[in-house]
């Protein structure tokens, strides 16, 4: 039996998914979080599991792997605990991406064509098909594609279900325990320091989300993961009005933009509870968590262009969070070249919920010396965007 001791640093969805995979493989796992499970970014985002917003490349391959794994993971957890599985609220509802300008039409069609070549189902919708699929959507749409492989989960429910499964497989949780430093012997990390003590480990996995940059600096091997702020509006329940994940094709450009200035695009979806989540914004403002009315207005204006019916609906609340951002927009997965046995599993930006289960599977494969399900070179720690110096 593999009794390698692993400290998973962070009990967000990435840490939870990693803890589950590793404990199922027989690793002796301790999950350490300074707060509560799913108390970080995982409970401050939406739960889209998307292939539609990623162009061909490593991130899309990870999205495909994750899309394949999600229903299996849900079924496995259902065998252990049916109510935990139902709290994941896994819904393979599909996504619809629309263009509303002539320029956007060409860009969306070219994007969909490239994705189809990479094995993604991207199906053009006629105006009639679109009206049937989304009756409340504006008719002022110049092109639309249906992505049947897009899905949705409830992020905090999913993270807690993954963590619960890890605990059933022997993992232990130390909530309310802040990691303040590393124990290093002969150039290897052999554990982490926590207030008043230490936790010994053979392997440490940094899954601290937007704080992964700060945490890695504390461990002596800084990586350039920074927060990218996002806000979401939540309406009162209006079941059946928005049926798919629907977004404007300009969202893909906002995701990939390098500017720290405000980017907004219309991203709309309903939840099992009937509420509608309206996003999205992107800003680099450090860890400033103030909700800005002008950002909410900009999001709402764009969403209303897609769904005019939302104009009469009450907004119940707004919230925001920090995406774990890396300059080249790719996750970080692998062993740190500067400190042996320190691994990073982070930097998923606005896709960490969806990508969590694929990331965890790859981590398990890498740690057990199994052939990974996909090539992981593009996620390596040893790349300029990750090892870049970041001002504190
Ligand atoms: C507005 C918004 C919308 C989003 N929508 C989507 C979406 O639709 N689909 C999608 O896939 N993703 C989405 N995301 C992104 C997604 O939420 C993140 O990629 C994901 O939650 C990251 O998970 P994580 O486990 O890496 O980080 P977190 O959930 O932040 O977990 C990190 C944990 O580390 C802990 N920690 C930090 N420092 C320490 C320390 N020193 N010691 C101990 N513990 C520590 C924290 O307490 C925290 O619990 C969205 C994000 C935002 C902000």
């Amino acid at each position: 039996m593999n009794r390698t001791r692993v400290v998973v640093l962070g009990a967000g969805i990435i840490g939870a998914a990693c803890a589950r995979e590793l404990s199922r493989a027989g690793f002796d796992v301790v999950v350490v979080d300074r707060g509560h499970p799913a108390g970080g970014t995982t409970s401050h985002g939406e739960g889209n599991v998307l292939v539609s917003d990623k162009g061909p490349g490593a991130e899309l391959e990870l999205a495909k792997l994750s899309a394949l794994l999600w229903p299996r993971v849900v079924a496995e957890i259902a065998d252990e605990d049916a109510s935990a599985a139902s709290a994941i609220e896994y819904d393979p509802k599909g996504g619809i991406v629309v263009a509303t300008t002539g320029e956007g039409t060409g860009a969306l069609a070219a994007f969909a064509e490239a994705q189809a070549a990479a094995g993604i189902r991207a199906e053009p919708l006629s105006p009639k098909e679109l009206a049937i699929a989304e009756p409340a959507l504006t008719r002022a749409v110049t092109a639309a594609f249906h992505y049947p492989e897009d899905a949705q989960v409830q992020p905090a429910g999913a993270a807690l279900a993954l963590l619960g499964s890890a605990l059933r497989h022997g993992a232990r949780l130390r909530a309310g325990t802040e990691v303040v430093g590393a124990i290093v012997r002969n150039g290897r990390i052999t554990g982490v320091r926590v207030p008043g003590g230490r936790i010994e480990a053979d392997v440490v996995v940094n899954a601290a989300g937007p704080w992964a940059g700060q945490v890695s600096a504390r461990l002596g091997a800084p990586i350039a993961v920074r927060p990218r702020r996002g806000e979401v509006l939540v309406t009162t329940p209006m079941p059946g009005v928005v049926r798919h994940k629907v977004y404007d094709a300009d969202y893909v450009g906002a995701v990939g933009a390098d500017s720290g200035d405000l980017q907004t695009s219309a991203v709309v979806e309903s939840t099992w509870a009937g509420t509608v989540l309206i996003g999205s914004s992107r800003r680099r403002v450090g860890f400033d968590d103030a909700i800005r009315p002008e950002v909410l207005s900009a999001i709402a204006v764009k969403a209303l262009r897609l769904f005019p019916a939302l104009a009469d609906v009450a907004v119940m609340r707004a919230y925001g969070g920090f995406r774990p951002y890396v300059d080249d927009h790719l996750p970080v997965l692998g062993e740190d070249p500067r400190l042996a046995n320190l691994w990073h599993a982070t930097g998923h930006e606005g896709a960490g919920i969806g990508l969590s289960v694929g990331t965890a599977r790859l981590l398990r494969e890498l740690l057990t010396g199994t052939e990974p399900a996909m090539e992981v070179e593009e996620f390596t720690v040893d790349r300029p965007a990750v090892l870049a110096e970041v001002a504190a």
Side-chain angles (χ1 to χ4, degrees), residues 12-14 33-34 41-42 45-46 48 179 209 211 321 349-354:
I13 197 155
I14 301 294
D33 199 294
R34 65 181 174 187
T41 293
T42 293
E46 298 152 86
N48 300 296
V179 171
W211 299 277
E349 205 182 332
I353 306 301

Side-chain angles (χ1 to χ4, degrees), residues 8-17 32-50 53-54 70 151-153 155 159 174 176-181 193-194 206-212 214-216 218 228-232 245 251 267 269 277 279-282 319-325 345-356:
V8 174
L9 203 171
I13 197 155
I14 301 294
V32 184
D33 199 294
R34 65 181 174 187
H36 297 287
T41 293
T42 293
S43 57
H44 297 125
E46 298 152 86
N48 300 296
V49 179
L50 300 185
D53 64 342
K54 297 168 185 70
W70 266 112
Q152 188 177 343
V153 296
R174 287 194 52 181
T177 305
E178 178 156 6
V179 171
V180 294
R193 295 185 193 283
V194 296
N206 173 14
W211 299 277
Q214 292 181 351
V215 166
S216 60
R218 286 184 182 182
R228 196 180 191 192
R229 178 84 178 153
E231 281 93 359
V232 178
K245 156 88 181 177
Y251 170 73
V267 178
E269 77 253 359
L277 306 182
S280 77
S281 63
R282 287 177 148 74
Y319 63 86
F322 300 103
R323 302 177 183 89
Y325 168 88
T346 185
H348 298 82
E349 205 182 332
I353 306 301
L355 300 179
S356 58

